[in-house]
Amino acid sequence: MRFFSLLFTLAAASLALTAFAQTPASPGPWVPDLGNGQYKNPVLYADYSDPDVVRVGDDYYLTSSSFSSVPGLQLLHSKDLVNWTIIGTALPVQLPRSRYDQVQPGNGVWAPALRYHNKEFYLYYPDPDLGIFVTRARNPAGPWSAPVCVKAAKGWIDPCPLWDDDGRAYLVHAFAGSRAGIKSVINVSEMAPDGLSLMGDDKLVFDGHQHHPTIEGPKFYKRHGYYYIFAPGGGVPTGWQVALRSKSVFGPYEDKIVLAQGKSPINGPHQGAWVDTPDGKEDWFLHFQDQDAYGRVVHLQPMTWKNDWPVIGLDPDGDGTGEPVLTYRKPAVQARVAVAVPATSDEFASQTLGLQWQWQADPQPGWLTLPSPTAGVLTLNAVPAPAEAKNLWLVPNLLLQKLPAPQFTATAKLSFHPQNEGEQAGLVVLGMDYASLVLTRQGGQIQLSQRTCLQADKGSPEVSTAPVTVPAGQPLYLRVAVQPGARCQFSYSLDGNRFQPLGTEFTARKGKWVGAKLGLFCLGTAGAPKPGAALVDWWHLEP
């Protein structure tokens, strides 16, 4: 473990040195700030699943589930809860490497909690197979400390700490039925004041089987002498937000549904975070909505209090259960906030990848070569797929990012320089079904085709269109246009102006607990003495 800690620290330090080397994010395919004092939901039209948010002074910080994507636990920053940018990641690698050097769909980092205590950020996250972990940082952009195991346990998920007024600390958590054999209950443990270990056994504080099945994702707060646990019930696609309250940290807790779909088009509005404005006069709640291939996108709701119960969204019938808003006035902040969105495009002009990019597993030396500051080219080396990969589903060296909007176009300018037969490079939209636009060296020529794989998670083979031959060595432009409903059409160009469609329209499908992702790859052949590479000039996402 000492070796893992040193490895993690070195990786985190390297990441921190280059975290701000990116150019500032510019407006992209989805801009929630309407420019007239109002915003539209989602405020993050991307798969920031199970979001948690904390305010420190005038700044808001958000993190979310990252599962097996690396770097994990992306950190976002905002001044007004509407305009967000990515500022760092907490996990440059996932540990232990013996496990996460391989692709682990759906495993890894589940719902985290982000808190600020004693002038330090604490980020708690569960690995449902290993236990509850915490990492800390003075600066949310990093570096973050090597994770400490707070509780080794199988099936403990969704931890959230609470430091009480008397200095004592507590941790609330839920259970994953797939690992623990139980679910739909919430437990609380006393925690050491330093937040690094638990004290004694956890205690059941709420059973949701009767009225709130699959209750999970708890967040712990205290207000006006009440302990509150905000927790979603009813399951991801169709559930609701529950508030629990008690005068005692260990209960008994009363329960109330405080947000539900109602007559709105927003399905399953739940699981998120309560924050207030710096002056304490306004309360807001961020939560996710499951949008299938687009993942769990993030909405912002106004929040009020009625008889010491939260009311989230608007409550037209006055029953205390709110409904989501589609548009609303922005939170009141003193300074003017510039329009900003999480980065999507990348010129590859920096010594670090843009913070939007993630691999399918812990990155390895030799996967890529970053450019000199003036070169502006990313080199993806042709690395052989692991023997167990029947298709791209279990290939670790896929460079991917989240779908950023319901409709957009992604284009990459690259040149392919294979050294061996069978080497390939391309653009992919990846989920349990996927499609890709692939350049391959065959018979001494460079051939381009669309490949589709249905039920990739079951090990199904790819099906390819008839290939077209393209010139070797010169830049090509690979493109996918995504339409509402995650309908994808691939095309290519030799000059960047005239694009030729290739293959039939493909409907993207979500991954394991995540939305579909898109990005780039370069694969080699086993045993090749000198692998080839794909040189990527840029990657652009546009409305």
Side-chain angles (χ1 to χ4, degrees), residues 184-209:
S184 301
V185 294
I186 302 295
N187 282 26
V188 171
S189 304
E190 185 163 3
M191 185 169 63
D194 65 5
L196 302 182
S197 61
L198 301 186
M199 301 168 59
D201 295 330
D202 60 322
K203 298 178 182 179
L204 174 70
V205 299
F206 188 77
D207 187 332
H209 282 90

Side-chain angles (χ1 to χ4, degrees), residues 41 45 65 78 127 136 191 196 209 217 228 242 269 285 328 343 417 456 481 504:
N41 273 317
Y45 211 124
S65 301
S78 177
D127 183 315
R136 296 174 293 168
M191 185 169 63
L196 302 182
H209 282 90
Y228 290 91
V242 181
F285 186 75
Y328 201 72
H417 300 274
T504 59

Side-chain angles (χ1 to χ4, degrees), residues 364-367 381-389 391-392 394-398 420 422-424 521-532:
Q364 306 295 325
W367 282 6
N381 296 314
V383 177
E388 65 270 18
N391 50 51
L392 293 181
L394 294 180
V395 172
N397 56 310
L398 306 184
N420 304 281
E423 290 182 341
Q424 54 184 284
F521 64 92
C522 186
L523 300 180
T525 56
K530 184 180 179 182

Side-chain angles (χ1 to χ4, degrees), residues 84-142:
W84 292 94
T85 55
I86 311 173
I87 61 168
T89 57
L91 297 179
V93 295
Q94 287 206 56
L95 302 177
R97 294 206 67 151
S98 58
R99 175 177 173 86
Y100 290 107
D101 281 0
Q102 291 79 43
V103 182
Q104 300 279 346
N107 297 330
V109 176
W110 286 22
L114 180 63
R115 291 293 181 267
Y116 187 70
H117 175 67
N118 281 346
K119 298 183 180 180
E120 195 168 25
F121 291 88
Y122 286 71
L123 209 170
Y124 289 79
Y125 70 90
D127 183 315
D129 296 301
L130 302 178
I132 304 298
F133 297 83
V134 62
T135 174
R136 296 174 293 168
R138 293 289 181 182
N139 184 339

Side-chain angles (χ1 to χ4, degrees), residues 147-185:
V148 171
C149 183
V150 176
K151 171 69 176 183
K154 191 175 181 69
W156 281 38
I157 58 170
D158 308 346
C160 184
L162 174 71
W163 281 271
D164 210 344
D165 306 327
D166 60 4
R168 298 173 73 178
Y170 304 93
L171 190 79
V172 66
H173 73 91
F175 292 93
S178 59
R179 273 79 165 181
I182 58 172
K183 66 174 188 175
S184 301
V185 294

Side-chain angles (χ1 to χ4, degrees), residues 183-184 208 211-216 231-242 257 268 270:
K183 66 174 188 175
S184 301
H211 300 296
H212 309 296
T214 318
I215 197 164
E216 57 187 359
V236 169
T238 58
W240 50 87
Q241 182 65 37
V242 181
I257 297 176
H270 60 54

Side-chain angles (χ1 to χ4, degrees), residues 140-354:
W144 288 78
S145 65
V148 171
C149 183
V150 176
K151 171 69 176 183
K154 191 175 181 69
W156 281 38
I157 58 170
D158 308 346
C160 184
L162 174 71
W163 281 271
D164 210 344
D165 306 327
D166 60 4
R168 298 173 73 178
Y170 304 93
L171 190 79
V172 66
H173 73 91
F175 292 93
S178 59
R179 273 79 165 181
I182 58 172
K183 66 174 188 175
S184 301
V185 294
I186 302 295
N187 282 26
V188 171
S189 304
E190 185 163 3
M191 185 169 63
D194 65 5
L196 302 182
S197 61
L198 301 186
M199 301 168 59
D201 295 330
D202 60 322
K203 298 178 182 179
L204 174 70
V205 299
F206 188 77
D207 187 332
H209 282 90
Q210 184 173 0
H211 300 296
H212 309 296
T214 318
I215 197 164
E216 57 187 359
K219 295 294 182 285
F220 224 166
Y221 306 100
K222 191 176 185 182
R223 176 186 183 271
H224 290 179
Y226 281 105
Y227 296 92
Y228 290 91
I229 298 174
F230 286 35
V236 169
T238 58
W240 50 87
Q241 182 65 37
V242 181
L244 311 174
R245 75 175 187 184
S246 175
K247 288 289 187 176
S248 169
V249 70
F250 290 109
Y253 280 85
E254 307 171 83
D255 63 289
K256 182 177 177 59
I257 297 176
V258 294
L259 174 68
Q261 179 172 356
K263 296 179 181 179
S264 82
I266 308 303
N267 62 293
H270 60 54
Q271 188 154 340
W274 160 38
V275 289
D276 61 4
T277 50
D279 60 11
K281 293 181 179 179
E282 294 183 4
D283 296 284
W284 296 85
F285 186 75
L286 291 108
H287 66 90
F288 75 66
Q289 175 205 9
D290 183 25
Q291 288 208 16
D292 199 53
Y294 294 100
R296 301 176 189 181
V297 302
V298 179
H299 291 242
L300 175 65
Q301 304 297 337
M303 178 174 143
T304 56
W305 292 89
K306 184 177 181 180
N307 300 323
D308 283 320
W309 285 107
V311 181
I312 301 174
L314 297 183
D315 184 15
D317 59 7
D319 66 352
T321 300
E323 296 181 3
V325 300
L326 298 180
T327 60
Y328 201 72
R329 65 166 179 82
K330 293 170 57 180
V333 294
Q334 292 185 347
R336 183 179 181 274
V337 177
V339 172
V341 297
T344 52
S345 298
D346 203 333
E347 302 299 326
F348 303 117
S350 170
Q351 286 295 99
T352 181
L353 283 170

